[in-house]
Amino acid sequence: MGNTKKLKNLIKDDRPQKLKAFVTSHNIQICSVQFSHGRNILHYCSLKGSPEMLKSLLKLGCDASLQDKDGNLPLHVALQRGLKEDVRLARETLVEIVMPLIDAYPMGLDVENKEGSTGQDLLRALKRLIKSATITSKKEAEFEAEKRRQEEDELWRQKLSDEVTFEYEEQLPRYDSREDYTHERTTETFDEWSERIRKDFSSKQRNSHNHRFWRDKKHKVDNEADEATRKKRSRQEDDDEKLRKAREEMKKNFKPVQLENRTDRLLLRKQRYESKFLHLLGHLAGRTLTFGCIPWPCLDVSTLIDVLFCDLSDKESPAYRKYLRSQQVRWHPDKFTQKFRDYLHPDHIPKIMARVKAISQILNQHSSERLGNQ
């Protein structure tokens, strides 16, 4: 009696490993255990147990072909259990309890109990119950979905109606229904009438521009303008950065001519002057000379002597005297006029001759000073 109660508790608590250990430790013949009403342990498990417990008992060798006093196999008990449960549990019982029992004893579907019900009859009844409940659940789900859709449609229609009403009230003038139109109106002058029409028109224009559509459109245009400005600024910054890098690269690659001293700089200036003057003499045909076309020895006449005689340090040398004389002849006003008169621009003649005279005077003065020092 104690072992039977212990086995029932282990089946209810769904402890198959504990059951197996208990049977082994107490040397119990699991197939010969009898419960009330002529049922064995497999009957009880089909009524109260779990799928794992049922599989464990079948592995231990429990016989699924034994009948109780009512002629019920464990299969009958499991099917009757499923018929009393709700749809979800009935479906689980069919898959997890009934099907393993059918696999263990397929002939049980044809066995009748004392009520005249075979396992096949009970199985059909269980399947019909599950199918009808499934159809009912599906119809209920469809009904709920249709109900939600109708509620959403109704909500959308209500929102649309509110929007139309809002636009109607905003765009059209409002009239007070309580106004008594039977009363005589005061006479309205033309100026008052025109002013009222102007105000109504201005009000409609403001309402139209304040409408959500125009606000959204203006906001979109502003955003696009901001985006264009931002892109333009970004491109300008990129161009500035590229220009800055190009300038830095040019500075790195540029190597200015490093002159050792002032004499070298003056000598370079003198060489440029001589080469330009000789080039001018060879290309006078068809030219009109302005002040800027004349290859002056220097722009500042105060540095004239330093430039012309930078490479002639000995004032007593024949080369010095010869070069001084050649420059005096070149820049003598009469000689200069005789050589370049036909090529000078009329508007620049006074300025050119003033500079020529200044150079000639400086050269003559330098020649006099040199002779005086002798």
Side-chain angles (χ1 to χ4, degrees):
M1 183 65 181
N3 292 339
T4 303
K5 186 176 181 180
K6 180 67 174 179
L7 291 173
K8 286 183 177 181
N9 291 333
L10 291 174
I11 292 173
K12 288 181 180 180
D13 296 339
D14 190 19
R15 302 175 68 182
Q17 298 297 330
K18 187 71 175 178
L19 175 67
K20 185 177 180 180
F22 179 76
V23 170
T24 303
S25 62
H26 290 77
N27 197 18
I28 298 174
Q29 296 296 326
I30 193 69
C31 297
S32 61
V33 176
Q34 292 291 325
F35 293 91
S36 62
H37 207 64
R39 294 180 176 179
N40 63 6
I41 192 169
L42 203 57
H43 284 89
Y44 189 81
C45 183
S46 299
L47 181 63
K48 301 289 186 179
S50 65
E52 289 76 13
M53 181 62 73
L54 179 68
K55 293 177 182 178
S56 179
L57 292 176
L58 290 174
K59 288 181 180 180
L60 291 175
C62 293
D63 191 359
S65 62
L66 297 178
Q67 294 176 288
D68 61 6
K69 292 182 179 181
D70 295 329
N72 291 318
L73 296 171
L75 176 61
H76 292 82
V77 176
L79 290 169
Q80 291 169 359
R81 170 185 174 180
L83 290 171
K84 296 177 182 179
E85 295 174 334
D86 58 23
V87 180
R88 183 180 62 82
L89 294 177
R91 188 180 291 109
E92 293 179 358
T93 300
L94 175 63
V95 176
E96 303 291 343
I97 303 294
V98 174
M99 297 309 295
L101 290 173
I102 293 175
D103 294 338
Y105 184 52
M107 301 299 295
L109 293 172
D110 299 326
V111 176
E112 290 186 0
N113 58 13
K114 291 184 178 181
E115 295 178 355
S117 300
T118 64
Q120 190 70 41
D121 297 334
L122 295 174
L123 181 61
R124 291 196 193 98
L126 181 60
K127 288 183 177 180
R128 283 196 301 270
L129 175 65
I130 294 173
K131 184 176 180 180
S132 61
T134 303
I135 294 174
T136 303
S137 300
K138 185 176 180 180
K139 289 182 178 179
E140 291 178 354
E142 292 177 353
F143 176 76
E144 292 294 332
E146 181 66 21
K147 185 177 179 181
R148 286 195 300 271
R149 187 182 64 80
Q150 291 178 357
E151 291 177 354
E152 291 176 357
D153 290 346
E154 183 64 25
L155 181 61
W156 180 82
R157 293 176 187 275
Q158 184 63 34
K159 289 183 179 180
L160 184 61
S161 176
D162 294 342
E163 184 68 19
V164 171
T165 303
F166 172 77
E167 292 183 359
Y168 176 80
E169 293 177 352
E170 289 295 324
Q171 298 295 327
L172 297 179
R174 301 179 182 178
Y175 297 98
D176 190 356
S177 60
R178 297 171 298 177
E179 183 179 357
D180 187 2
Y181 292 99
T182 59
H183 293 171
E184 294 183 0
R185 296 184 179 180
T186 58
T187 304
E188 187 178 28
T189 64
F190 177 79
D191 293 337
E192 293 173 347
W193 173 81
S194 61
E195 181 65 18
R196 179 171 59 81
I197 295 299
R198 185 190 65 79
K199 290 181 179 179
D200 291 344
F201 179 77
S202 300
S203 177
K204 290 180 181 179
Q205 289 293 102
R206 286 194 300 271
N207 292 336
S208 175
H209 288 292
N210 290 331
H211 192 266
R212 184 173 59 187
F213 171 78
W214 296 107
R215 290 199 305 269
D216 295 344
K217 186 174 182 180
K218 183 176 182 300
H219 182 66
K220 181 179 179 180
V221 171
D222 293 341
N223 289 341
E224 292 177 353
D226 294 341
E227 183 66 20
T229 303
R230 187 162 50 253
K231 290 182 179 179
K232 182 178 180 181
R233 188 182 299 112
S234 178
R235 288 195 299 269
Q236 185 174 359
E237 291 177 355
D238 294 341
D239 294 341
D240 293 342
E241 182 65 19
K242 291 180 181 179
L243 181 60
R244 185 185 64 79
K245 291 181 179 180
R247 286 176 176 172
E248 291 179 356
E249 189 67 22
M250 290 177 63
K251 288 180 180 179
K252 291 179 181 179
N253 297 332
F254 177 71
K255 296 181 180 180
V257 179
Q258 299 293 334
L259 300 179
E260 295 181 357
N261 48 41
R262 182 171 179 271
T263 303
D264 295 336
R265 292 195 296 272
L266 295 176
L267 180 60
L268 179 61
R269 191 180 302 177
K270 178 181 178 180
Q271 291 173 353
R272 291 175 180 173
Y273 152 67
E274 291 290 350
S275 62
K276 289 181 179 180
F277 200 90
L278 293 176
H279 181 271
L280 177 63
L281 293 177
H283 298 81
L284 282 175
R287 294 191 61 179
T288 300
L289 301 178
T290 61
F291 183 85
C293 296
I294 306 299
W296 307 106
C298 56
L299 296 178
D300 186 6
V301 294
S302 61
T303 61
L304 178 66
I305 302 301
D306 295 335
V307 173
L308 293 179
F309 302 99
C310 61
D311 56 341
L312 300 172
S313 58
D314 187 5
K315 296 182 180 181
E316 303 300 330
S317 64
Y320 192 98
R321 292 195 302 271
K322 182 179 180 180
Y323 186 73
L324 176 59
R325 181 58 184 166
S326 65
Q327 293 300 312
Q328 286 178 320
V329 172
R330 176 182 293 179
W331 295 106
H332 191 278
D334 295 338
K335 299 290 184 180
F336 186 88
T337 303
Q338 183 181 359
K339 185 178 296 185
F340 296 102
R341 176 179 53 195
D342 297 335
Y343 306 102
L344 297 179
H345 193 284
D347 297 338
H348 290 253
I349 291 177
K351 187 176 181 180
I352 292 174
M353 294 309 299
R355 174 60 66 88
V356 170
K357 289 178 181 179
I359 294 175
S360 179
Q361 290 175 0
I362 293 175
L363 291 173
N364 293 334
Q365 183 180 358
H366 180 69
S367 178
S368 300
E369 291 177 354
R370 189 182 68 82
L371 294 175
N373 292 333
Q374 291 179 356

